[in-house]
Amino acid sequence: MNHRLKSIAARSLIAFPLTTLMAHAACTIPIGIVLPTSGELSAQGQENVQMAQLAIQQIDKAGGPGACRLKAVISNSQTKPAIGVDAAKKLVDLDHVPAIVGASSSGVSMAILTSVTAPGHVVQISPSSTSPAFTTLAQQGKTGGYWFRTAPSDALQGVAMAYVAHQQAKLRRVAVMYLNNPYGSGLAGRFEHEFKAMGGTVTASVAFNPRQPSYRSEVHQAMQGHPQALFLVGYPNTGEVIVREWISAGGPHTYLFPDALHAPQFVDAIGGRYLDGHTWGTVPGNTRTRSLGYVAKAFKRGYGHAMSESYDASTYDATAIAALAAYAAKADGAVTGARVRDMIPRVTDPKGTAVYASVRGFRKAEKLLAAGKPIRYIGASGALHFDTTGDVKGPMVVWRVKDGKIVPVETLSAKRIAAIGAHG
């Protein structure tokens, strides 16, 4: 871990409790945070934790839930399902949280949802778990309505990536390598379906497992069929190993990367020499609202650097929604997982009064919620409204690598992506 990440971790997990986590002994409402501060997604996770803390701090500063204070209880998932489950169980059984923000990866979130939060009647809001499998699970009635996410499903990203590959990169033959978990298989499957519908050919589709010492066998398998490019669905550390072995094996130097590889440290590790002009990527984007500006300024003021990681805005929003729903539950009675679940529509009501992500906005929200009135929370990632499966719609940003840096080049609206998917 470099000096900056160590600094982030120290400020996130040690310094913060001296301010916001000071709670009134009489009444404290804990909000669980399960994100990776070490492991595959540590750089993203550490900054996402800061975003969650900022949301709790601002809502608490606005007044908090009546005589109560909010408390962020943070656990490290390490991007490992078993560890994530253990962390979530502790939060539910010992800290008695009514809601958990997390996890980052779909594999960890799925394990927590099916073994802890849904059976335990605790709300779970993920800022970045994008597997389409969650939608299916909700449609089957297996989430109990306790599952929500503030990032759009990969059902959208798969369409967007297929469009980018076929129409913008002008590719006709693509090899796919994907992480063998709900995130990897879900996104790869949707991409393959859409790319084929557009007339493209998937020359190989190869699953891989994390933390292998080498991926030479999988790389050689993926290179069969003479692909023009590699679509790699994985996390930064593993992705770095695979791309290096792909280059060493003589694979074509054109790459398609999804949200998990929209990471400065991944691009730095591979180098602009190999990625400049050869890379196309997609990542869920933010709808520009005044909230994003408010949050960006507050974050830089509080932590000394700009927001830079994927899912920063959606993590802030997931935490804010959980905390506002807890406030609404407290104003109307007891704060339980079931009550928080039932209050989420009240804080994201399209017909409610608009409130923005700032201390002033949260004061307004708390007054309205205390009076039993609905609000329309317009967050850092946009105006969020959950459908019956806990999903949201949102835009996708197309990005490339230029001079060794990630550069956004276009935003595809949710409406446009839906039209692309409908017409192939």
Side-chain angles (χ1 to χ4, degrees), residues 106 129-136 139 149 151-163 182-183 185-195 198 259 282 284 387 389 391-394 396 414 416-422:
S106 292
S129 293
T130 54
S131 170
F134 294 103
T135 304
T136 301
Q139 290 170 338
R149 53 181 164 184
S153 164
D154 281 331
L156 290 176
Q157 185 170 195
V159 175
M161 181 60 83
Y163 170 79
Y183 166 65
S185 60
L187 179 50
R190 187 57 187 262
F191 168 83
E192 291 174 24
H193 174 81
E194 296 295 333
F195 189 63
M198 294 175 186
D259 54 323
T282 53
D387 65 19
T389 65
D391 282 347
V392 295
K393 302 289 191 234
M396 289 285 163
R416 186 177 177 191
I417 295 170
I420 292 169

Side-chain angles (χ1 to χ4, degrees), residues 94-281:
L94 301 183
D95 297 294
H96 306 294
V97 300
I100 289 176
V101 174
S104 289
S105 64
S106 292
V108 178
S109 283
M110 183 64 75
I112 292 173
L113 176 65
T114 55
S115 62
V116 182
T117 51
H121 299 167
V122 170
V123 166
Q124 183 178 348
I125 309 181
S126 172
S128 55
S129 293
T130 54
S131 170
F134 294 103
T135 304
T136 301
L137 204 67
Q139 290 170 338
Q140 294 171 345
K142 296 180 179 179
T143 67
Y146 288 96
W147 167 259
F148 302 86
R149 53 181 164 184
T150 51
S153 164
D154 281 331
L156 290 176
Q157 185 170 195
V159 175
M161 181 60 83
Y163 170 79
V164 168
H166 194 267
Q167 299 298 323
Q168 297 188 358
K170 304 300 181 183
L171 299 169
R172 297 297 179 265
R173 301 186 313 280
V174 173
V176 179
M177 293 184 67
Y178 64 91
L179 186 62
N180 189 20
N181 73 358
Y183 166 65
S185 60
L187 179 50
R190 187 57 187 262
F191 168 83
E192 291 174 24
H193 174 81
E194 296 295 333
F195 189 63
K196 291 175 183 177
M198 294 175 186
T201 299
V202 176
T203 58
S205 183
V206 182
F208 60 86
N209 294 312
R211 295 178 292 278
Q212 294 178 199
S214 173
Y215 295 90
R216 291 188 183 90
S217 174
E218 291 86 350
V219 164
H220 282 289
Q221 185 180 346
M223 288 176 61
Q224 302 305 306
H226 306 289
Q228 297 171 291
L230 171 66
F231 177 35
L232 176 59
V233 188
Y235 301 142
N237 293 350
T238 300
E240 177 186 343
V241 175
I242 290 174
V243 172
R244 289 189 181 281
E245 293 185 346
W246 178 269
I247 293 169
S248 296
H253 287 207
T254 301
Y255 306 99
L256 302 169
F257 294 142
D259 54 323
L261 297 179
H262 180 267
Q265 71 275 15
F266 168 74
V267 172
D268 289 345
I270 302 300
R273 171 187 174 188
Y274 297 104
L275 300 182
D276 280 5
H278 303 289
T279 301
W280 298 83

Side-chain angles (χ1 to χ4, degrees), residues 323-367:
L324 289 170
Y327 180 95
K330 180 62 178 176
D332 200 42
V335 183
T336 65
R339 303 260 327 130
V340 171
R341 174 199 62 186
D342 295 343
M343 291 298 168
I344 286 177
R346 185 178 291 184
V347 304
T348 57
D349 189 335
K351 297 181 180 179
T353 302
V355 297
Y356 295 90
S358 65
V359 174
R360 178 181 295 181
F362 292 135
R363 286 197 185 106
K364 178 181 178 181
E366 290 170 3
K367 289 179 181 178

Side-chain angles (χ1 to χ4, degrees), residues 350-414:
K351 297 181 180 179
T353 302
V355 297
Y356 295 90
S358 65
V359 174
R360 178 181 295 181
F362 292 135
R363 286 197 185 106
K364 178 181 178 181
E366 290 170 3
K367 289 179 181 178
L368 291 165
L369 292 171
K373 297 179 180 178
I375 63 171
R376 179 181 179 231
Y377 171 70
I378 300 176
S381 59
L384 295 158
H385 176 65
F386 301 101
D387 65 19
T388 56
T389 65
D391 282 347
V392 295
K393 302 289 191 234
M396 289 285 163
V397 173
V398 181
W399 56 275
R400 304 203 67 185
V401 176
K402 182 178 180 180
D403 297 329
K405 304 296 181 183
I406 293 172
V407 179
V409 295
E410 183 182 0
T411 298
L412 302 175
S413 68

